[in-house]
Amino acid sequence: MAKPRCASYYTATIHQESDYPRLQGEQTVDVAIVGGGFTGVATAVELAERGYRVAIIEANKIGWGASGRNGGQVTGSLSGEAAMRKQMRRTLGEAADDFVWNLRWRGQRIIRERVEKYAIPCDLKQGHLQAAWKPSHMETLRADFHACQARGMGEHVELLDTHQIRDVIRTERYHGGLLNRYNLHLHPLNLCLGEVRVAERLGALIFEDSPVERIEHGPSPRVVTANGAVRAERVLLAGNAYHRLERRRLGGRLFPASLGIVTTAPLGGLAEAINPQDLAVYDCRFVLDYYRLTADGRLLFGGGANYSGKDSPDIAAELRPRLEATFPQLAVRRSTTPGRAWRAS
């Protein structure tokens, strides 16, 4: 049986829940995609738009994993950007710098265009702030600001000093920041579910509650579940950390990273008081805090990280001190179970 979605703000505010069948019998497609999160679903839309016959095979529900539980921020950051440029220069030469730079911002354009083209309701908003946790972080933000200016993005970015940032986000924790109005924030689960409905309309086959047991290699590979199989010309593994397929090839290339998010109760006028420009925010630390306002005026706050693969026993208890330290004006009266809202006065 498929695992139920975790209790969360996103689960509670789904516009239209997915209800796709379990894979039964044999299907034949051009591309079989294992995993129904952002990677799998967005790829299915792209391929279906180009006329390919596609199938998504998801073990639980579409968007069940991290794609439906994250901070909802769409920003131009790439982990390992310098290493990526170095590696790509071997084949692209100096063009590698342009390629990686454009890669940083391509996702925003694709999401904007797709949401508009298919009228996907996902609370899409513009505006993001990367905040300097300590004065030395301003050096990196300043370099990114000048790079944006040099590459024609100057109209979208603004470098803020210690005093200016407090007019943008009402906390005294930061020493400045980079305001970027090209970046986005949204309801990620509704985006994922909206995209999978687009893929279905374009002819993709969608299967839920269908854990893949193995992949049979050959000229025409087969993706096999307990009750059926999909034969395809190509197979895409898009399950991230949630499967153990192809361990001989992928062993050592993946590791677990667990983070958590909580939401407050609706804040009313406090929402605009603490975040008057309705921005998504994260700071410059490696283990950072990140937050934004939801469509109904809650503060959705995330942070922390562990790499053990173990779930936190109490996400709210871990994140509450970080939230209160950022916004002391949100005095917590009552905490609840992990991942659910607490009421702020």
Side-chain angles (χ1 to χ4, degrees):
M1 291 293 293
K3 297 178 182 178
R5 297 191 190 277
C6 67
S8 71
Y9 168 79
Y10 293 135
T11 298
T13 53
I14 289 173
H15 287 307
Q16 183 180 335
E17 178 60 284
S18 60
D19 185 23
Y20 294 103
R22 184 180 299 171
L23 175 60
Q24 303 276 356
E26 186 101 6
Q27 303 285 341
T28 301
V29 296
D30 298 317
V31 181
I33 299 173
V34 180
F38 278 142
T39 300
V41 170
T43 302
V45 173
E46 187 76 24
L47 292 175
E49 286 178 330
R50 300 183 185 198
Y52 290 93
R53 178 78 164 161
V54 182
I56 296 176
I57 308 100
E58 164 59 40
N60 298 295
K61 302 283 283 183
I62 296 297
W64 177 87
S67 296
R69 311 184 195 186
N70 59 75
Q73 301 192 22
V74 186
T75 66
S77 59
L78 287 175
S79 297
E81 181 181 345
M84 188 184 303
R85 283 199 302 267
K86 181 178 179 181
Q87 179 69 25
M88 297 193 69
R89 284 195 186 110
R90 298 176 183 178
T91 55
L92 296 180
E94 292 303 315
D97 291 349
D98 292 337
F99 180 89
V100 173
W101 176 263
N102 291 328
L103 188 63
R104 287 183 59 180
W105 312 106
R106 187 181 179 194
Q108 289 91 322
R109 176 179 57 79
I110 291 173
I111 289 173
R112 279 194 195 90
E113 292 175 353
R114 191 166 288 167
V115 167
E116 181 178 2
K117 179 179 180 179
Y118 296 110
I120 299 174
C122 60
D123 305 335
L124 182 65
K125 303 175 186 179
Q126 292 185 230
H128 175 262
L129 176 67
Q130 186 173 4
W133 186 261
K134 53 187 180 180
S136 60
H137 287 153
M138 287 301 296
E139 182 178 350
T140 299
L141 297 182
R142 190 173 293 108
D144 208 16
F145 171 72
H146 291 310
C148 287
Q149 288 187 312
R151 289 179 174 270
M153 289 185 61
E155 64 181 300
H156 299 293
V157 295
E158 182 179 352
L159 193 65
L160 308 176
D161 63 23
T162 303
H163 302 290
Q164 292 169 320
I165 196 171
R166 292 175 186 172
D167 292 329
V168 172
I169 197 76
R170 302 293 165 73
T171 176
E172 297 185 1
R173 286 182 80 82
Y174 307 130
H175 295 269
L178 181 61
L179 178 60
N180 186 317
R181 300 194 183 282
Y182 190 79
N183 286 334
L184 312 172
H185 54 109
L186 46 76
H187 190 304
L189 184 52
N190 277 330
L191 174 63
C192 193
L193 292 171
E195 285 191 313
V196 83
R197 289 192 291 273
V198 171
E200 182 186 25
R201 292 200 302 269
L202 293 172
L205 304 176
I206 317 295
F207 302 104
E208 294 181 319
D209 192 15
S210 302
V212 174
E213 296 182 345
R214 67 184 186 277
I215 297 172
E216 297 177 353
H217 292 260
S220 185
R222 289 177 79 241
V223 176
V224 181
T225 70
N227 301 292
V230 176
R231 188 178 295 277
E233 294 299 316
R234 298 286 187 273
V235 176
L236 171 68
L237 295 183
N240 203 343
Y242 296 108
H243 66 71
R244 294 292 184 268
L245 300 169
E246 303 297 306
R247 294 184 69 179
R248 288 185 301 172
R249 300 186 183 195
L250 298 179
R253 297 178 182 269
L254 298 173
F255 63 91
S258 299
L259 298 89
I261 56 173
V262 292
T263 53
T264 67
L267 297 177
L270 269 176
E272 185 175 356
I274 64 173
N275 190 351
Q277 297 189 27
D278 198 5
L279 302 171
V281 182
Y282 61 61
D283 63 63
C284 293
R285 294 174 295 170
F286 181 72
V287 181
L288 48 75
D289 291 338
Y290 52 94
Y291 52 89
R292 64 186 185 86
L293 296 174
T294 63
D296 58 352
R298 304 170 188 267
L299 181 68
L300 186 148
F301 190 98
N306 76 73
Y307 303 98
S308 68
K310 298 179 180 179
D311 292 334
S312 168
D314 191 343
I315 294 172
E318 291 181 11
L319 292 180
R320 183 168 60 244
R322 302 168 75 119
L323 187 155
E324 289 181 313
T326 305
F327 296 110
Q329 56 270 58
L330 301 184
V332 175
R333 297 206 313 248
R334 176 178 62 86
S335 66
T336 59
T337 53
R340 293 186 179 176
W342 64 61
R343 184 170 298 281
S345 59

